[in-house]
Amino acid sequence: MRRRDLLAGAAAMPALAAQQYASRTRGLPRLTIKEVKVIPTSAGRGYQWVFVKVITSEPGLYGLGSASNVNAAFSVINLIEKHYAPFWVGKDPDRIEDLWQSTNVHAYWRNSMIHNNALSGLDMALWDIKGKRAGMPVYDLLGGKARDGVSLYAHADGRDMQQVEDNVRKYMEEGYRHVRAQMGGYGGGGMIAPGKGSRPASGFQGAVFDEDLYVDTIPKLFEHLRVKLGREVKLLHDVHEHLTPTMAVEFAKRMEPYHMFFVEDILPPEQIDWFREIKKVTTTPLAMGELFTSPREWVPLISERAIDFVRNRVSQTGGITAAKKTAALCEAFGVRTAWQEGGDNDPVNQLAAYHVDYSIASFGIQEENHFPPLVHEMMPGTAELKGGYLYGNDAPGLGIDINEATAAKFPLQPPPGGDTWTTVRGVDGGLVKP
Ligand code: MG
């Protein structure tokens, strides 16, 4: 081909590309965000779910995102309706990165938990819209499947070692390769019974946490499990942040013989600088992140290789856009992901995590969370759990929808007042931070 022909060909390319883009987008004018609807629901189970529905200028095209916050749902609703929806309406939903960045600084102060929920809700809805537009599931837009399945870990608990063992076995029989083992619920293994122990006169009389008791009891549980179950099952444990720093070092060392998949939340977020010290003296793998809201928390821990797994909640840290960037950072430093999915989480957040899990090289594990039949009915496309794997679907976008009439039948209820599981106390009545 002569040089002149080549140049003529190159000149024709932009016109051809524009033509192709127009045909892919069916010749429709540029999309705009027409309306932002907030859909709160308790889904018949006392959930505190807040969904964001981003409705576009193309008839019938909308996206769904999760802005749920179990502790501040009403504030999230207000924030979106009064402050963010007016900012988002009229914008181009195709520009996910730009909308993410501009939303993140819209309130000037960033990385508050409530702002992050709103940002995550928008972000997931925009990826959902882009997937529907492209006719592809979101994991395909993110680079396609990097594995054939999304592994889950199950939650086993029990009154005593025998019951924990029985419950771990049940999950193993179902096909789970990873099981988190706890004993006696939240803080279990370290709780002194109500009224017992040496307490101040007229002090708190409920169950209280004692870290020496905990650090003695839990390694014995895992010794039992390894003797009875062998080395094949991958075992996890959650400390729920209740230890003081040096006891956390001690605990991680004592857990070493039991070959943990990971020990989670060994310290509260205020003490994350201690992770470096723990990492230097033990091979027990460490997981942290469900309380994180800012990159200033997870970036140093990942880049200094001070943790093995990052456990950010996708809807608490900026949605799919933030999760895929965090996963890329993890890949560079040999850290893996284990996005948090506590029982209060919703099916949209679970699927957002799933699409990221599928498409990243640094995937580690996904926390199990299952929903009652009413939720599967109310939210068609809700992921299924089978044999230790999470199954979404290949529908374009996130692959989930919501029946708004059903959701409206179960309005949000303000949570009851008073102390909650976050206000664990010690024997002297002092707070033990989660
Ligand atoms: Mg935890």
Side-chain angles (χ1 to χ4, degrees):
M1 196 186 280
R2 283 170 33 200
R3 188 174 143 77
R4 194 187 304 160
D5 295 338
L6 257 175
L7 286 174
M13 272 176 71
L16 184 66
Q19 215 176 48
Q20 278 176 342
Y21 184 84
S23 83
R24 296 284 191 276
T25 53
R26 286 150 284 163
L28 292 165
R30 275 240 160 245
L31 280 184
T32 54
I33 296 174
K34 208 174 114 200
E35 189 190 342
V36 176
K37 213 168 163 183
V38 180
I39 308 168
T41 181
S42 61
R45 269 280 184 101
Y47 289 117
Q48 300 277 308
W49 289 349
V50 177
F51 298 108
V52 179
K53 187 172 184 176
V54 175
I55 300 164
T56 74
S57 51
E58 183 180 317
L61 179 62
Y62 59 86
L64 210 55
S66 162
S68 298
N69 183 322
V70 67
N71 297 308
F74 291 91
S75 302
V76 177
I77 294 168
N78 213 31
L79 178 69
I80 296 170
E81 286 180 343
K82 302 286 194 325
H83 300 281
Y84 278 135
F87 173 62
W88 295 336
V89 167
K91 299 279 195 306
D92 180 350
D94 268 339
R95 297 180 62 172
I96 300 178
E97 183 68 29
D98 185 62
L99 261 171
W100 193 100
Q101 299 291 349
S102 53
T103 299
N104 193 38
V105 298
H106 183 65
Y108 188 46
W109 294 282
R110 43 268 210 185
N111 307 127
S112 93
M113 64 163 188
I114 298 170
H115 284 92
N116 281 1
N117 295 137
L119 175 58
S120 302
L122 170 81
D123 181 77
M124 291 176 200
L126 297 184
W127 281 104
D128 193 23
I129 291 167
K130 198 177 279 294
K132 285 173 175 172
R133 255 195 142 192
M136 289 180 188
V138 169
Y139 64 73
D140 261 341
L141 298 179
L142 299 178
K145 288 184 182 178
R147 58 192 37 78
D148 297 328
V150 170
S151 297
L152 296 172
Y153 71 84
H155 298 145
D157 205 325
R159 277 187 314 275
D160 52 33
M161 293 188 194
Q162 187 56 52
Q163 202 178 44
V164 179
E165 179 199 327
D166 294 345
N167 288 331
V168 174
R169 267 188 212 284
K170 268 185 219 156
Y171 282 116
M172 290 167 70
E173 280 156 20
E174 271 183 44
Y176 278 88
R177 294 174 299 125
H178 306 78
V179 185
R180 190 185 89 165
Q182 307 292 126
M183 187 167 66
Y186 189 74
M191 300 308 281
I192 298 174
K196 295 277 195 298
S198 179
R199 305 190 186 221
S202 59
F204 178 67
Q205 292 300 315
V208 291
F209 184 79
D210 182 274
E211 67 174 345
D212 290 299
L213 178 62
Y214 183 85
V215 169
D216 257 354
T217 308
I218 296 300
K220 287 177 190 146
L221 166 68
F222 282 86
E223 184 178 19
H224 174 92
L225 295 176
R226 280 294 176 220
V227 168
K228 299 290 179 156
L229 302 170
R231 297 268 289 192
E232 199 184 313
V233 61
K234 296 176 197 299
L235 293 172
L236 297 73
H237 180 72
D238 188 353
V239 179
H240 298 302
E241 308 92 12
H242 288 150
L243 300 179
T244 53
T246 299
M247 287 303 271
V249 179
E250 172 73 13
F251 183 74
K253 286 168 77 174
R254 286 205 201 182
M255 294 296 277
E256 223 170 69
Y258 314 118
H259 187 63
M260 301 299 290
F261 185 74
F262 65 58
V263 167
E264 169 189 340
D265 299 338
I266 203 162
L267 285 169
E270 293 84 355
Q271 301 303 340
I272 54 175
D273 289 350
W274 276 85
F275 275 94
R276 297 176 187 91
E277 310 308 319
I278 303 174
K279 199 91 209 98
K280 280 178 199 156
V281 296
T282 177
T283 56
T284 295
L286 302 168
M288 181 70 190
E290 67 181 66
L291 277 149
F292 288 168
T293 56
S294 168
R296 289 179 181 277
E297 295 165 307
W298 65 79
V299 169
L301 289 187
I302 295 168
S303 62
E304 293 178 37
R305 303 177 175 93
I307 53 173
D308 301 86
F309 292 86
V310 71
R311 282 185 41 74
N312 296 359
R313 179 183 284 213
V314 177
S315 62
Q316 196 58 64
T317 45
I320 291 169
T321 297
K324 70 179 179 126
K325 290 179 185 178
T326 306
L329 187 71
C330 285
E331 184 186 342
F333 293 100
V335 176
R336 287 186 280 171
T337 64
W339 311 128
Q340 193 263 1
E341 281 292 330
D344 60 279
N345 268 353
D346 65 65
V348 177
N349 180 65
Q350 183 181 50
L351 275 171
Y354 162 90
H355 285 280
V356 176
D357 291 342
Y358 241 147
S359 58
I360 55 176
S362 54
F363 173 71
I365 192 83
Q366 175 70 42
E367 185 172 1
E368 176 268 357
N369 192 17
H370 54 271
F371 302 102
L374 174 75
V375 169
H376 284 265
E377 210 177 290
M378 183 181 90
M379 306 195 71
T382 293
E384 305 278 349
L385 283 66
K386 257 177 268 160
Y389 288 95
L390 184 66
Y391 293 92
N393 57 66
D394 295 330
L398 292 173
I400 190 164
D401 207 344
I402 187 162
N403 182 325
E404 291 182 54
T406 311
K409 279 190 211 155
F410 304 102
L412 275 193
Q413 301 296 333
D419 283 349
T420 67
W421 57 270
T422 60
T423 47
V424 170
R425 304 221 164 244
V427 76
D428 67 352
L431 191 70
V432 179
K433 282 184 192 173

